[in-house]
Amino acid sequence: MRRHELTHAQWSKIEPLLPVNGGPGGQWADHRRVINGVLFRARTGVPWPDLPERYGPWQTVYERHRRWSADGTWQQVLAELQIEADAADPDGVLARSAGREAEWAVNIDSTSCRAHQHAAGARHRPPRLPAKGGGTRVDTDGREALGRSRGGLTCKVHLLADDRARPLVWLTSPGQRGDNPMLVPVLEKLRIGRRGPGRPRSRPDRLRGDKAYSSRDTRAYLRRRHIKATIAQPDDQREHRRRRGRAGGRPPAFDKAQYRRRSAAERCVSKWKQFRAVASRYDKRDYIFNGTLTVTAIAIWLRDTVQEPSETP
């Protein structure tokens, strides 16, 4: 076992969640070696042809990563890790506040990833992706989530993180996209499954966000879904409300103690960007970049949930 590779305990955790074989016509190459190659590339950001020879042919590693990014295998592994962590330790997803009832709180934020020149130049024609039942399907969306901002060619990741600084769900967008319009799509993507019967949990008790998410429409949406909002209000909104007097209404409730815990989203971004293939985007296709985000999120969850055996003298 080398740096950036799965430990024995981490491998035993995800091994049952991986496909058994490659279907008709052949068998998969060793899963562990290929996944270690994907993690090495994600951590170091090297081009695929520059992977060390110990991971086997680089085409095999890249093709496995591309296929599992397209058919949702990476996402299924992450979902199972979240379900298991929630079932084994409710505090893993539920945040407990001192002196209060247990509540499920999530933190929203965004981060910009500078796109390398290798990320540009994808074909305009939508790619054909492998389907779960065999064959291929056409990516009808066809977007690549690349845009121009003050940082140049960038991609933005909008994410929800729990209080242990682990990514729950995210969406990618062009770098110039604002944060507030992406709050509703990201929140509606949230689904934490359960062990046994019951619907997936999709409505947190509290949402924390910075000033970028302070708007009347956002707060109204959260009230309709009975989600408590801990969102800072910009100075210009406060001044506008004061100028209107009674017509401005009451100021929104704001809990400073809860807002301090919003830093979990920033710590989650810091963990994510330890992987250079996330800090700088090298993938041309958006679905492959989302696969890179997912496999690095799996690594973050494994580090937090898997207890390594202690060494005995």
Side-chain angles (χ1 to χ4, degrees):
M1 188 185 66
R2 298 176 175 87
R3 291 185 62 197
H4 319 315
E5 296 184 357
L6 295 173
T7 64
H8 297 303
Q10 292 172 348
W11 169 244
S12 63
K13 189 87 167 179
I14 67 170
E15 184 180 11
L17 309 176
L18 300 174
V20 177
N21 57 58
Q27 298 290 324
W28 294 112
D30 181 48
H31 279 327
R32 185 171 184 178
R33 184 177 67 176
V34 171
I35 293 175
N36 284 334
V38 174
L39 289 174
F40 180 88
R41 181 260 177 181
R43 186 60 185 251
T44 60
V46 298
W48 289 105
D50 294 342
L51 278 177
E53 294 181 359
R54 63 177 178 268
Y55 300 119
W58 71 267
Q59 296 92 336
T60 301
V61 182
Y62 167 74
E63 181 61 25
R64 187 82 52 86
H65 177 57
R66 186 198 67 81
R67 179 177 292 272
W68 284 2
S69 300
D71 63 16
T73 300
W74 290 130
Q75 192 61 42
Q76 289 179 5
V77 173
L78 177 61
E80 287 297 324
L81 290 177
Q82 293 174 347
I83 292 172
E84 187 173 350
D86 186 26
D89 180 14
D91 289 338
V93 177
L94 290 176
R96 295 186 180 273
S97 303
R100 301 180 183 178
E101 295 181 355
E103 67 174 12
W104 180 23
V106 297
N107 309 278
I108 190 168
D109 204 352
S110 70
T111 182
S112 293
C113 304
R114 182 68 182 269
H116 193 268
Q117 60 182 356
H118 293 168
R123 294 181 180 180
H124 295 289
R125 184 175 59 184
R128 299 186 67 85
L129 308 179
K132 266 294 184 185
T136 60
R137 60 185 175 87
V138 177
D139 181 15
T140 55
D141 192 4
R143 68 182 182 89
E144 304 306 336
L146 288 174
R148 294 284 179 180
S149 64
R150 279 190 278 181
L153 192 65
T154 54
C155 173
K156 186 174 282 189
V157 181
H158 308 264
L159 71 143
L160 286 177
D162 65 2
D163 278 359
R164 294 177 66 167
R166 300 175 298 190
L168 296 173
V169 294
W170 61 87
L171 287 174
T172 54
S173 73
Q176 73 273 12
R177 183 71 57 84
D179 291 350
N180 189 62
M182 296 296 293
L183 182 143
V184 174
V186 174
L187 197 57
E188 290 183 347
K189 190 182 177 184
L190 180 62
R191 293 287 188 277
I192 302 296
R194 302 174 186 266
R195 283 279 182 258
R199 297 179 179 178
R201 290 194 294 166
S202 59
R203 185 181 63 84
D205 299 312
R206 183 182 297 274
L207 176 74
R208 308 187 189 101
D210 58 16
K211 296 179 181 180
Y213 301 97
S214 177
S215 71
R216 183 174 299 179
D217 293 340
T218 295
R219 296 180 188 275
Y221 168 79
L222 296 175
R223 281 195 299 270
R224 287 196 302 270
R225 294 196 61 188
H226 304 285
I227 301 174
K228 301 175 185 177
T230 303
I231 301 176
Q233 192 176 26
D235 294 338
D236 59 340
Q237 291 184 9
R238 290 200 192 96
E239 187 61 29
H240 178 67
R241 180 178 49 80
R242 292 195 190 98
R243 286 199 305 266
R244 296 187 63 191
R246 291 185 176 180
R250 295 180 179 179
F254 182 72
D255 190 334
K256 290 185 178 180
Q258 284 286 343
Y259 188 71
R260 292 191 188 98
R261 305 182 70 173
R262 190 196 63 83
S263 64
E266 298 174 353
R267 288 184 279 117
C268 177
V269 170
S270 179
K271 290 181 181 180
W272 231 342
K273 290 201 170 182
Q274 295 298 316
F275 297 88
R276 295 190 177 185
V278 174
S280 297
R281 172 176 167 174
Y282 302 101
D283 301 308
K284 285 183 171 62
R285 294 295 188 184
D286 180 45
Y287 76 92
I288 300 181
F289 181 59
N290 270 278
T292 301
L293 291 171
T294 307
V295 73
T296 51
I298 290 172
I300 293 173
W301 276 82
L302 286 174
R303 290 177 193 167
D304 188 82
T305 58
V306 175
Q307 300 252 345
E308 298 295 336
S310 58
E311 297 183 0
T312 57

